[in-house]
């Protein structure tokens, strides 16, 4: 969906048409903006915006930490500013440089939204949800291609228009525009300048390890619809915008803009890249009636998709002529040929999902998952002809599937699992499919079946099993768990399944699987049903009972190279039932760091020490 005007940035419209097209009646001010005393005063040593000597310098990272080489021109280095007016000029210039640098990029963008309703015990809780996933074209106009197409509203699998509260074609509906959620990567795509905005310096503030200068931004009168209104944070070394918080104003006719908190990370030298956007509307104070209440997370990743790296280089390869006369050098037997063929299909799928920006490259999270699988294999004396591998799907919906001997689990599912036993339970189901020989489909060994556009990935790949195989896998998974180190902790798995069942009816989008079999059908959890009745009753008043975690508390993704890591945070005490927030959306608060000094990570949602799994018991 393409709009043609950046200024139409509404993501929520109570509209009588699909998209309210409002022209920007932009008129430059006749007089230049008057600077306040803080802006025009010569800064002293105490308040000068120049970098502090103690501030970490922007250094080149160690080779092991560096992302894949990218050919990106660095912004010109200007002399240190002496006034706040000069700072404003610098971050305006840097913002336009970022827009130009990213104009050729098409990262993956995901928005997950939960409608809210009031609960007397738990506060605002989900009453419904929506999910959008696509590729973001960051050219002259922000546009996106949706990965989710086809299906129907009842199943929640339909394309964007089919799943948006009746679709764009129906009138008198509040409709979520997924493009709007991703447009918030910039304050203003086309007119971010002094002719359209006034800038007022507020204070200095640290965001993580980065000292920032804080400015309030207001659009000038008659500067047009959809101008940014809010606050921005500018790091004080190169003067790039690192955070935007506010909304857009004035609103177009028959519509309104929602509020957003947009964060950027310093993932490459000289640039801070848009990474996370949190949006929220609604007020649950006494006596307030909400026309609209929701929370939404937008994540952007895959900026460097399909760019060459060290894995693509041939410079270090040396081939010597050696003759091998062993038995393994002879033609494969029929059984060996069948296994090699299946391995080829498996490798093709893993490679294609990775190139589409849906699968994280191999990394630390895989090793943690592999430890759990190894525990299941060793204690059950499982000896397979090929090793079992694990990979992380980068998306939020709760999903697992397996292709060949590779088990895939989604980031969202890893996030919400309360402990290692629950992780072992969901992995045991896919391991059971492998042990029972269910993953024999080899059609993807033909490479022509991999030749499709990224936006049609979900239409060309699928790894669902027939009901009989799902039932057999559940039964086998219970056997594996009872013989494993997790046998005494299956009550925790039962609590997780009960919490999931309690929220299943209102989280249909989160529970809609796109590549594997669903965890729930028609609002009822069907996966591992034999454990659903095990353990104590679910009781929200018991603060030490953590059945499930909020989204975003386990795995962090590097938006530039898609690498996945586990979030490392200190436990936070639970003080009321409202702190638990199972399966819920929460704001982003990454700890910002400069490139080469560490990678920022979204702060984990409140949890307890008991809710933090380890890599093995």
């Amino acid at each position: 969906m393409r709009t043609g005007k950046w200024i139409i940035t509404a993501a929520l419209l109570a509209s009588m048409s699909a998209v309210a097209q409002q022209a920007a009646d932009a008129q430059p001010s006749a007089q230049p903006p008057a600077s306040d005393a803080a802006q025009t005063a010569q800064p002293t040593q105490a308040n000068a915006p120049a970098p502090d000597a103690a501030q970490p310098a922007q250094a080149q990272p160690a080779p092991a930490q560096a992302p894949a080489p990218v050919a990106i021109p660095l912004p010109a280095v200007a002399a240190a500013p002496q006034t706040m007016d000069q700072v404003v000029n610098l971050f305006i210039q840097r913002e336009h440089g970022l827009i130009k640098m990213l104009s050729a990029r098409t990262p993956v963008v995901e928005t997950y939204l939960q409608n809210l309703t009031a609960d007397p015990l738990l506060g605002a809780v989900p009453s419904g949800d929506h999910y959008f996933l696509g590729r973001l074209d960051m050219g002259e106009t922000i546009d996106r291609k949706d990965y989710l197409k086809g299906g129907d509203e009842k199943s929640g699998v339909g394309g964007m228009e089919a799943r948006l509260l009746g679709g764009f074609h129906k009138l008198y509906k509040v409709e979520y525009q997924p493009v709007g959620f991703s447009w918030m990567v910039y304050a203003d795509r086309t007119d971010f300048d002094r002719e359209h905005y006034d800038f007022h310096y507020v204070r200095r503030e640290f965001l993580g390890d980065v000292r920032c200068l804080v400015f309030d931004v207001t659009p000038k009168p008659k500067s047009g619809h959809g101008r940014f209104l809010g606050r921005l944070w500018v790091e004080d070394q190169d003067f790039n915008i690192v955070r935007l918080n506010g909304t857009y104003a004035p609103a177009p006719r028959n519509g309104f803009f929602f509020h957003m908190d947009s964060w950027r990370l310093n993932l490459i030298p000289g640039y801070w890249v848009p990474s996370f956007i949190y949006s929220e509307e609604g007020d649950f104070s006494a006596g307030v009636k909400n026309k609209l209440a929701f929370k939404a997370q937008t994540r952007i990743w895959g900026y460097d998709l399909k760019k060459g790296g060290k894995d693509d280089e041939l410079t270090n390869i040396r081939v010597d002529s050696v003759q091998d006369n062993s038995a393994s050098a002879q033609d494969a037997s029929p059984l060996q040929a069948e296994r090699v063929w299946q391995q080829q299909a498996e490798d093709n799928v893993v490679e294609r999902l990775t190139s589409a920006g849906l699968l994280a490259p191999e990394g630390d999270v895989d090793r943690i998952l592999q430890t759990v699988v190894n525990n299941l294999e060793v204690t059950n004396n499982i000896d397979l002809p090929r090793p079992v591998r694990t990979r992380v799907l980068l998306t939020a919906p709760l999903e697992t599937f397996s292709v060949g001997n590779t088990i895939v689990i989604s980031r969202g599912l890893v996030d919400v699992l309360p402990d290692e036993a629950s992780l072992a339970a969901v992995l045991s189901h896919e391991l059971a499919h492998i042990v029972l020989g269910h993953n024999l489909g080899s059609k993807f060994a033909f490479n022509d079946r991999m030749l499709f556009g990224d936006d049609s990935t979900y239409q060309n790949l699928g790894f669902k099993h027939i009901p009989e195989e799902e039932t057999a896998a559940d039964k086998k998974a219970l056997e594996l768990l009872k013989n494993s180190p997790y046998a005494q902790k299956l009550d925790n798995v039962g609590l997780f399944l009960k919490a999931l069942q309690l929220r299943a009816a209102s989280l249909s989008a989160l529970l809609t699987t796109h590549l594997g079999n669903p965890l729930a059908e028609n609002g009822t959890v069907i996966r591992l049903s034999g454990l659903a009745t095990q353990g104590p009753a679910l009781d929200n008043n018991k603060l030490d009972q953590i059945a499930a975690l909020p989204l975003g508390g386990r795995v962090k993704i590097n938006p530039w190279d898609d690498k996945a890591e586990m979030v490392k945070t200190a436990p936070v005490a639970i003080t009321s039932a409202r702190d638990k927030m199972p399966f819920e959306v929460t704001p982003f608060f990454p700890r910002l760091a400069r490139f080469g000094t560490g990678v920022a990570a979204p702060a984990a949602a409140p949890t307890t020490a008991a809710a933090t799994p380890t890599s093995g018991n």
Side-chain angles (χ1 to χ4, degrees), residues 143-423:
D143 193 15
R144 63 187 285 165
K145 290 184 177 180
D146 192 31
Y147 276 24
L148 309 177
K149 300 175 182 177
D152 56 81
E153 292 181 47
K154 182 178 179 181
S155 66
V157 188
M160 282 193 305
E161 296 185 13
R163 291 178 291 107
L164 301 186
L165 299 179
F168 290 119
H169 60 283
K170 294 188 177 181
L171 304 183
Y172 309 107
K173 293 274 189 178
V174 173
E175 297 171 351
Y176 299 104
Q177 295 182 20
V179 174
F181 286 98
S182 51
W183 275 353
M184 293 189 177
V185 293
Y186 305 126
D188 192 318
R189 178 65 177 77
T190 57
D191 297 314
F192 189 63
D193 52 39
R194 288 184 177 276
E195 292 183 353
H196 295 84
Y197 292 97
D198 288 324
F199 302 89
H200 175 73
Y201 170 71
V202 179
R203 62 173 180 268
R204 288 171 175 79
E205 181 179 321
F206 273 91
L207 293 180
D209 299 332
V210 179
R211 190 174 68 172
C212 299
L213 306 173
V214 184
F215 291 84
D216 283 340
V217 182
T218 55
K220 289 183 179 294
K222 298 183 180 180
S223 60
H225 290 292
R227 299 301 185 190
F228 177 71
L229 174 65
R231 179 165 290 186
L232 54 82
W233 285 254
V234 179
E235 51 87 16
D236 70 350
Q237 180 169 304
D238 295 319
F239 303 99
N240 295 286
I241 297 174
V242 300
R243 182 186 180 190
L244 303 102
N245 180 291
T247 187
Y248 296 88
R253 184 182 179 185
N254 298 325
F256 61 95
F257 298 106
F258 60 90
H259 294 82
M260 60 90 173
D261 190 29
S262 181
W263 292 79
R264 299 174 178 181
L265 301 181
N266 191 197
L267 304 175
I268 54 175
Y271 294 98
W272 290 74
V273 179
S275 303
F276 311 112
I277 304 169
Y278 175 73
S279 305
E280 179 182 315
E281 296 294 341
D283 183 357
F284 290 91
S285 304
V288 176
K289 294 183 178 179
N290 289 308
K291 293 182 179 179
L292 182 70
F294 75 90
K295 296 189 296 185
Q297 287 183 344
T298 294
R299 298 169 185 265
I300 305 173
W301 69 82
Y303 280 100
D304 204 35
L305 281 177
K306 301 178 181 177
K307 302 296 180 183
K310 64 180 181 180
D311 293 337
D312 299 320
E313 297 175 0
L314 301 176
T315 54
N316 296 323
I317 293 180
R318 178 180 177 183
V319 179
D320 295 322
S321 178
V322 178
Q323 186 173 1
D324 187 352
N325 295 318
S326 64
S328 61
Q330 308 305 313
D331 290 345
S333 68
L335 179 57
Q336 289 173 326
E338 179 66 18
R339 288 174 176 170
V340 172
W341 186 249
Q342 292 169 9
Q343 175 78 62
Q344 182 171 313
E346 177 183 340
D347 292 343
N348 281 350
V349 168
V350 169
E351 180 182 353
R352 189 64 187 87
L353 286 173
T354 303
S355 68
L358 297 176
L359 207 63
E362 290 184 88
D364 294 339
V365 179
D366 299 324
R367 286 186 279 275
I368 294 174
L369 301 177
Q370 193 69 56
T371 299
V372 177
V373 172
N374 290 343
N375 289 342
L376 293 169
E377 288 185 285
V378 170
T379 54
N380 284 275
N381 297 316
I382 296 174
D383 186 15
L384 297 170
R386 292 192 293 114
V388 176
R389 303 182 294 181
T390 55
R391 297 294 290 272
V392 177
L393 195 68
L394 294 171
T395 51
L398 312 187
E399 181 168 12
T400 65
F401 64 90
S402 51
V403 49
N405 278 26
T406 297
I407 297 174
V408 179
I409 180 171
S410 68
R411 167 187 54 82
L413 185 51
V414 177
D415 277 344
V416 300
L417 292 170
D419 55 16
E420 187 174 332
S422 301
L423 177 60

Side-chain angles (χ1 to χ4, degrees), residues 26-78:
Q27 297 180 1
S29 301
Q31 300 294 331
S35 301
D36 61 17
Q39 290 174 311
T40 58
Q42 185 77 10
T44 64
Q45 184 176 1
N47 64 9
D52 190 88
Q55 185 69 20
Q58 182 173 334
Q60 294 298 329
Q65 298 177 343
V70 288
I72 297 174
L74 294 178
V77 178

Side-chain angles (χ1 to χ4, degrees), residues 453 524 598:
T524 300

